[in-house]
Amino acid sequence: MTTEGYLKERVDDQIKWYDQKSKNNQYWFKGLRTAEIIIAAMIPFISGITASYEGFEKTGLILLGLAGVIIAIIAGVLSLGQFQEHWIEYRTVCESLKKEKFLFKTGAEPYGHDDSFNLLVQRVETLVSQENTNWAQYMMKREKKEKN
């Protein structure tokens, strides 16, 4: 494989993948966390209205219970999805891949010698492999917790 082929087919492809995954996880984390904050902030408001208006007690209690259920669901989805952790992890790998690509293209250290392409391949594949290993270890830990 040529240098340009590797940069385009492997490095650029991985940068694009990690960038998109990072953005998706950031979107879900911020969206769910914002919803959680808004609903939690509504609880005192609903409590105040429930206590202030006669005939609203039943509806207010239902809304308070519903708010609690929704907050619990959001917290569970955030915990299960690990959106913040994945957002940061994917962003870190993406930026590391970009850094390696730019160092290589400019001939900056550690790429200032004849064997630069082989070093680039080793470093890029190590970055991608480490992330895959981290994911596999996370999944194994999760399976053990579910069995216990």
Side-chain angles (χ1 to χ4, degrees), residues 7-126:
L7 287 171
K8 183 178 180 185
E9 293 174 30
R10 181 65 169 163
V11 179
D12 289 343
D13 182 61
Q14 290 297 299
I15 288 170
K16 182 179 175 183
W17 189 89
Y18 282 107
D19 183 53
Q20 189 60 47
K21 288 293 185 180
S22 175
K23 287 176 183 176
N24 287 344
N25 279 275
Q26 180 185 30
Y27 170 82
W28 281 105
F29 173 74
K30 288 183 175 181
L32 289 170
R33 184 64 81 200
T34 299
E36 184 180 45
I37 291 167
I38 291 168
I39 294 167
M42 295 289 291
I43 290 175
F45 176 74
I46 295 169
S47 295
I49 289 177
T50 301
S52 300
Y53 293 101
E54 202 171 303
F56 190 71
E57 294 90 359
K58 199 175 204 180
T59 304
L61 290 174
I62 291 170
L63 289 175
L64 287 171
L66 184 60
V69 168
I70 292 171
I71 289 170
I73 291 169
I74 291 172
V77 170
L78 282 168
S79 177
L80 185 64
Q82 303 269 313
F83 299 112
Q84 184 178 23
E85 292 84 353
H86 290 138
W87 160 31
I88 293 167
E89 187 176 321
Y90 292 149
R91 177 57 44 210
T92 300
V93 174
C94 179
E95 295 305 319
S96 296
L97 289 169
K98 285 180 184 179
K99 175 186 167 193
E100 293 300 324
K101 178 183 173 183
F102 291 130
L103 288 173
F104 176 78
K105 286 201 142 229
T106 60
E109 285 299 322
Y111 298 110
H113 52 80
D114 293 340
D115 204 25
S116 296
F117 178 65
N118 287 333
L119 182 60
L120 173 70
V121 171
Q122 289 172 356
R123 290 173 67 114
V124 165
E125 296 306 320
T126 297

